[in-house]
Amino acid sequence: MVVVEQYPQLKATGNIGQLQEELTSTENKVAFARQLYNDTATQYNTKQQQFPTSLVAGLAKTQPADLWAIEDQAERAVPQVDLSMKPKA
Amino acid sequence: MSDDASLNLFQQQDANRRRTVLLVIGFVLFFAWLGFGGDLIYYLYSRDAPRLAYHHTFPWLGIVLTVLGVAMAWYAYATGPEKVLWSTGAREVQDPTDPKERQLVDVVEEMAIAAGVPRPRIWIVDDGDPNAFATGTDPLHSHVAVTQGLLDLCTRDELEGVIGHELGHVKNLDVRLMTTLAALVGAVALMHDGSNRLLRGGMDEEPRGGGRKGGLLLLVLLVVWIISWLLAPIIAQLLAMGVSRKREYLADAMGAQFTRNPLALASALQKIENADAPTTHLKRGAAHLCIADPLARRLTGHEGFVADVLATHPPMAKRITILRGMAYAQLKKEGGSVASPGGLAAPGAASSEGSGM
């Protein structure tokens, strides 16, 4: 009887862990995609200013690429999920 | 040297393509030498034979061995990744149910995004000792394998560092060179075992050869020829070692660049180092593919001439020190520009000085 009652709770813990993992992973994927873009853009901008490639860049009138910055620090954090199911005050 | 890793990526890829081609050519030439050299010796040997006896004039041995060498090199290149994975007994993770495996898949997906390569196929080796390796011919056909021990032992961040290191190998095409090398080392070892028996059989007849004109040339040729048979596996091993040591530093740097977290990789390396037991599933032939020496040889702990010649991996302590240095530099940089938003590429920006040629 006791075992039966404990089981659903254990399962729920696993589900929450799974949800947490998925949230973290999704957030990381967004962050790493942004990082790759920024790395590549930085590389591109640097090449425009460096000697041999800067000549070509001058001829082609290239513009430096904009970096993708985050102003709001909260956007970067893993979103907090409230699963306590307490009624909102 | 860690910093110009990222920007010299294209040179690194070119160098790896070139070295793979050279390796394959060298392998085929070596076979050709074994074959045609043998023919020449036999020709010189049988030249003075009586009229009616066998005269070795047509170099069939050379032709057969060259064709064999080409076939083996092609086979090794085409099936190398499968052979390496098969030899470790890895199983592919396709539909993970275990939370640890789910996490591994997520981490690999994240790192593939960070590295800008397609997601490699993921494998797990059922071995308690923490280790990891990557194999494949190019980023489109690549595989990452970790041991069960690594999954159990490492935190998410550490796992990310290790996978970042492996994807560094994938991205700069180290995997192509090292997998081809692993397959060829295996081929040479196999061939050598077979040829030893052949040579011993042939030895009995050898003393009758000397004596007359051309005897000295014959003798020298014979000695060089036999030595190259004997040395083949050793040379192949040395090649495998020389090829892999510098790459580890480079892949560490790339892993740190992808995760922006050199300390996690450092602590993962520390854990791998502390779990000192040999990784029994990873055999000698694949040693140079791994993140840490699976044989747990004492040599790996030292620098110096002997270790330089004989170890497949750089000393762990030095790798950890370098990674900690990166973390410190990163910290200092962030302290210097507190307002810099977006987590901009600290290592990427720093590396621009490296390639100003």
Side-chain angles (χ1 to χ4, degrees), chain B residues 108-132:
Chain B
V108 173
E109 279 171 3
E110 286 165 27
M111 281 295 102
I113 290 174
V117 297
R119 198 203 91 162
R121 286 164 70 186
I122 305 164
W123 302 73
I124 292 182
V125 180
D126 280 311
D127 193 306
D129 191 52
N131 219 323

Short mmCIF file of all heavy atoms in Angstrom, two decimals, chain B residues 108-132:
data_model
loop_
_atom_site.label_atom_id
_atom_site.label_comp_id
_atom_site.label_asym_id
_atom_site.label_seq_id
_atom_site.Cartn_x
_atom_site.Cartn_y
_atom_site.Cartn_z
N VAL B 108 25.06 16.99 -26.78
CA VAL B 108 25.68 16.88 -28.10
C VAL B 108 25.00 17.81 -29.09
O VAL B 108 25.67 18.49 -29.88
CB VAL B 108 25.64 15.42 -28.61
CG1 VAL B 108 26.12 15.34 -30.04
CG2 VAL B 108 26.50 14.53 -27.74
N GLU B 109 23.66 17.90 -29.01
CA GLU B 109 22.95 18.81 -29.91
C GLU B 109 23.37 20.25 -29.67
O GLU B 109 23.62 21.01 -30.61
CB GLU B 109 21.44 18.66 -29.71
CG GLU B 109 20.87 17.46 -30.46
CD GLU B 109 19.42 17.18 -30.10
OE1 GLU B 109 18.82 17.95 -29.31
OE2 GLU B 109 18.88 16.18 -30.63
N GLU B 110 23.48 20.62 -28.38
CA GLU B 110 23.90 21.98 -28.06
C GLU B 110 25.29 22.29 -28.62
O GLU B 110 25.52 23.32 -29.23
CB GLU B 110 23.92 22.18 -26.54
CG GLU B 110 22.55 22.28 -25.92
CD GLU B 110 22.63 22.10 -24.42
OE1 GLU B 110 23.69 22.39 -23.83
OE2 GLU B 110 21.64 21.63 -23.84
N MET B 111 26.19 21.35 -28.39
CA MET B 111 27.57 21.58 -28.82
C MET B 111 27.69 21.60 -30.34
O MET B 111 28.51 22.31 -30.90
CB MET B 111 28.50 20.51 -28.23
CG MET B 111 28.86 20.75 -26.80
SD MET B 111 29.84 22.23 -26.58
CE MET B 111 28.64 23.37 -25.98
N ALA B 112 26.84 20.82 -31.01
CA ALA B 112 26.87 20.83 -32.47
C ALA B 112 26.45 22.21 -32.96
O ALA B 112 27.02 22.75 -33.92
CB ALA B 112 25.94 19.75 -33.03
N ILE B 113 25.47 22.81 -32.28
CA ILE B 113 25.06 24.16 -32.65
C ILE B 113 26.21 25.13 -32.40
O ILE B 113 26.54 25.96 -33.24
CB ILE B 113 23.81 24.58 -31.85
CG1 ILE B 113 22.60 23.77 -32.34
CG2 ILE B 113 23.54 26.06 -32.01
CD1 ILE B 113 21.36 23.99 -31.52
N ALA B 114 26.84 25.00 -31.22
CA ALA B 114 27.92 25.92 -30.88
C ALA B 114 29.09 25.79 -31.85
O ALA B 114 29.75 26.77 -32.19
CB ALA B 114 28.41 25.65 -29.46
N ALA B 115 29.34 24.57 -32.32
CA ALA B 115 30.48 24.36 -33.22
C ALA B 115 30.10 24.63 -34.66
O ALA B 115 30.97 24.74 -35.52
CB ALA B 115 31.00 22.93 -33.08
N GLY B 116 28.80 24.70 -34.95
CA GLY B 116 28.37 24.91 -36.31
C GLY B 116 28.58 23.70 -37.20
O GLY B 116 28.93 23.83 -38.36
N VAL B 117 28.40 22.51 -36.65
CA VAL B 117 28.50 21.28 -37.45
C VAL B 117 27.17 20.52 -37.28
O VAL B 117 26.46 20.73 -36.31
CB VAL B 117 29.67 20.38 -37.00
CG1 VAL B 117 30.99 21.07 -37.21
CG2 VAL B 117 29.52 19.95 -35.56
N PRO B 118 26.84 19.64 -38.25
CA PRO B 118 25.64 18.83 -38.08
C PRO B 118 25.78 17.93 -36.86
O PRO B 118 26.91 17.60 -36.46
CB PRO B 118 25.59 17.98 -39.34
CG PRO B 118 26.53 18.60 -40.29
CD PRO B 118 27.53 19.36 -39.51
N ARG B 119 24.64 17.51 -36.30
CA ARG B 119 24.71 16.66 -35.12
C ARG B 119 25.33 15.32 -35.47
O ARG B 119 24.87 14.64 -36.38
CB ARG B 119 23.31 16.44 -34.55
CG ARG B 119 23.33 15.94 -33.13
CD ARG B 119 22.06 15.22 -32.77
NE ARG B 119 22.21 13.81 -33.05
CZ ARG B 119 21.40 12.88 -32.55
NH1 ARG B 119 20.41 13.23 -31.79
NH2 ARG B 119 21.59 11.61 -32.83
N PRO B 120 26.40 14.95 -34.77
CA PRO B 120 27.01 13.64 -35.04
C PRO B 120 26.14 12.53 -34.47
O PRO B 120 25.25 12.79 -33.65
CB PRO B 120 28.34 13.72 -34.30
CG PRO B 120 28.14 14.73 -33.25
CD PRO B 120 27.11 15.68 -33.72
N ARG B 121 26.37 11.32 -34.91
CA ARG B 121 25.68 10.19 -34.29
C ARG B 121 26.35 9.90 -32.94
O ARG B 121 27.53 10.10 -32.78
CB ARG B 121 25.74 8.97 -35.20
CG ARG B 121 24.79 9.12 -36.38
CD ARG B 121 25.09 8.15 -37.47
NE ARG B 121 24.76 6.78 -37.09
CZ ARG B 121 25.05 5.73 -37.87
NH1 ARG B 121 25.65 5.91 -39.03
NH2 ARG B 121 24.73 4.52 -37.49
N ILE B 122 25.54 9.44 -31.99
CA ILE B 122 26.01 9.35 -30.61
C ILE B 122 26.08 7.88 -30.20
O ILE B 122 25.15 7.11 -30.46
CB ILE B 122 25.05 10.11 -29.67
CG1 ILE B 122 24.92 11.55 -30.16
CG2 ILE B 122 25.54 10.06 -28.25
CD1 ILE B 122 23.74 12.26 -29.57
N TRP B 123 27.17 7.51 -29.57
CA TRP B 123 27.38 6.13 -29.16
C TRP B 123 27.81 6.07 -27.71
O TRP B 123 28.43 7.00 -27.20
CB TRP B 123 28.47 5.47 -30.02
CG TRP B 123 28.18 5.48 -31.47
CD1 TRP B 123 28.25 6.58 -32.31
CD2 TRP B 123 27.78 4.38 -32.30
NE1 TRP B 123 27.92 6.20 -33.58
CE2 TRP B 123 27.62 4.86 -33.61
CE3 TRP B 123 27.54 3.04 -32.04
CZ2 TRP B 123 27.24 4.05 -34.66
CZ3 TRP B 123 27.17 2.22 -33.09
CH2 TRP B 123 27.01 2.73 -34.39
N ILE B 124 27.46 4.97 -27.07
CA ILE B 124 27.91 4.76 -25.69
C ILE B 124 28.70 3.45 -25.61
O ILE B 124 28.27 2.42 -26.16
CB ILE B 124 26.71 4.71 -24.71
CG1 ILE B 124 26.07 6.09 -24.62
CG2 ILE B 124 27.16 4.25 -23.33
CD1 ILE B 124 24.93 6.17 -23.67
N VAL B 125 29.85 3.52 -24.97
CA VAL B 125 30.66 2.33 -24.75
C VAL B 125 30.42 1.88 -23.31
O VAL B 125 30.57 2.68 -22.38
CB VAL B 125 32.16 2.63 -24.96
CG1 VAL B 125 32.99 1.39 -24.72
CG2 VAL B 125 32.40 3.18 -26.35
N ASP B 126 30.04 0.64 -23.14
CA ASP B 126 29.74 0.16 -21.79
C ASP B 126 31.02 -0.15 -21.04
O ASP B 126 31.44 -1.29 -20.93
CB ASP B 126 28.86 -1.09 -21.85
CG ASP B 126 27.41 -0.70 -22.07
OD1 ASP B 126 26.94 0.20 -21.35
OD2 ASP B 126 26.77 -1.27 -22.97
N ASP B 127 31.63 0.89 -20.53
CA ASP B 127 32.88 0.73 -19.79
C ASP B 127 32.85 1.71 -18.62
O ASP B 127 32.42 2.85 -18.77
CB ASP B 127 34.07 1.03 -20.71
CG ASP B 127 35.38 0.59 -20.12
OD1 ASP B 127 35.68 0.98 -18.97
OD2 ASP B 127 36.11 -0.13 -20.80
N GLY B 128 33.26 1.22 -17.46
CA GLY B 128 33.16 2.05 -16.27
C GLY B 128 34.18 3.18 -16.20
O GLY B 128 34.01 4.13 -15.45
N ASP B 129 35.24 3.09 -16.99
CA ASP B 129 36.28 4.10 -16.95
C ASP B 129 35.87 5.28 -17.83
O ASP B 129 35.45 5.09 -18.96
CB ASP B 129 37.59 3.50 -17.46
CG ASP B 129 38.75 4.42 -17.18
OD1 ASP B 129 38.90 4.84 -16.03
OD2 ASP B 129 39.50 4.72 -18.13
N PRO B 130 35.99 6.51 -17.32
CA PRO B 130 35.56 7.66 -18.12
C PRO B 130 36.52 7.93 -19.29
O PRO B 130 37.73 8.02 -19.09
CB PRO B 130 35.57 8.83 -17.13
CG PRO B 130 36.54 8.42 -16.09
CD PRO B 130 36.44 6.92 -15.99
N ASN B 131 35.96 8.02 -20.47
CA ASN B 131 36.74 8.36 -21.65
C ASN B 131 35.77 8.72 -22.75
O ASN B 131 34.57 8.48 -22.62
CB ASN B 131 37.64 7.20 -22.07
CG ASN B 131 38.99 7.68 -22.55
OD1 ASN B 131 39.08 8.73 -23.19
ND2 ASN B 131 40.03 6.93 -22.25
N ALA B 132 36.29 9.29 -23.84
CA ALA B 132 35.43 9.66 -24.95
C ALA B 132 36.27 9.75 -26.21
O ALA B 132 37.47 9.99 -26.14
CB ALA B 132 34.77 11.01 -24.69
#
